[in-house]
Amino acid sequence: MRAFKLYAIKDGTVIDHIPEGKGLKIIHLLGLDRGCNNIVTLGMCFNSKRYGKKDVVKIEKRELTNEEVNKIAVIAQTATLSIIRNYKIVKKHQVNIPDVLEKIICCPNSNCVTNHEPVKTKFLITKKKPIQLNCYFCERAFGLEEVTIH
């Protein structure tokens, strides 16, 4: 088995410790697979002492917004973000699921007002492991596997 390394980036964001197989989903959620002006590198199935296997995503010349970080936190709770400037890590932190998610998740309840009116979705996180969400509008509870992230 050959070992591969991802090259260093001068400026941008590195998303590390992504659960194995979720790196491509993160690229899709962030829209990095659609007309991106940034170079994106995906490393999959790297060995990890802590998690066994992991994925890594590097995005050159771009720092993520809070909304984008929250999207990552929903599907990859173990992920860490590193902000790189001039080849050096200037900030590093683990993603955290906020207590409230707005405009990130679609409500699976077909009768919810968010599916019929131009209302921004809002979910309260009632449990973080495993994730349990309550729609602010219809007040129904959902597990992560029941919702769609947009």
Side-chain angles (χ1 to χ4, degrees), residues 9-150:
I9 61 174
K10 182 178 180 187
D11 298 296
T13 303
V14 176
I15 309 165
D16 197 359
H17 301 105
I18 302 167
E20 179 183 11
K22 293 196 176 180
L24 197 54
K25 186 168 186 167
I26 287 174
I27 288 172
H28 179 69
L29 276 176
L30 298 178
L32 300 171
D33 57 345
R34 300 182 297 271
C36 181
N37 294 329
N38 309 90
I39 295 173
V40 177
T41 306
L42 169 64
M44 298 177 73
C45 302
F46 284 98
N47 290 324
S48 169
K49 292 177 186 172
R50 194 180 311 167
Y51 303 109
K53 295 285 185 181
K54 68 177 181 177
D55 291 354
V56 177
V57 173
K58 291 187 175 192
I59 310 162
E60 292 191 41
K61 299 178 184 173
R62 181 161 173 219
E63 293 182 19
L64 302 178
T65 65
N66 286 337
E67 186 175 308
E68 290 172 321
V69 173
N70 288 342
K71 285 182 181 183
I72 293 169
V74 171
I75 64 164
Q77 297 168 357
T78 57
T80 56
L81 293 178
S82 297
I83 304 301
I84 311 296
R85 293 191 188 128
N86 203 25
Y87 297 105
K88 293 187 169 98
I89 297 172
V90 295
K91 184 178 179 184
K92 184 175 183 172
H93 67 280
Q94 184 160 353
V95 298
N96 291 310
I97 289 194
D99 294 330
V100 177
L101 293 172
E102 295 184 87
K103 303 183 297 181
I104 293 176
I105 297 173
C106 297
C107 185
N109 176 6
S110 60
N111 294 323
C112 183
V113 68
T114 61
N115 290 312
H116 302 285
E117 302 288 331
V119 177
K120 297 175 185 172
T121 62
K122 183 175 181 178
F123 284 83
L124 309 175
I125 307 299
T126 57
K127 187 176 175 188
K128 293 192 178 187
K129 289 189 182 180
I131 295 177
Q132 188 71 37
L133 311 147
N134 275 42
C135 178
Y136 179 80
F137 296 98
C138 70
E139 299 180 348
R140 289 193 47 197
F142 301 99
L144 186 58
E145 67 284 348
E146 298 175 82
V147 299
T148 303
I149 302 169
H150 58 113

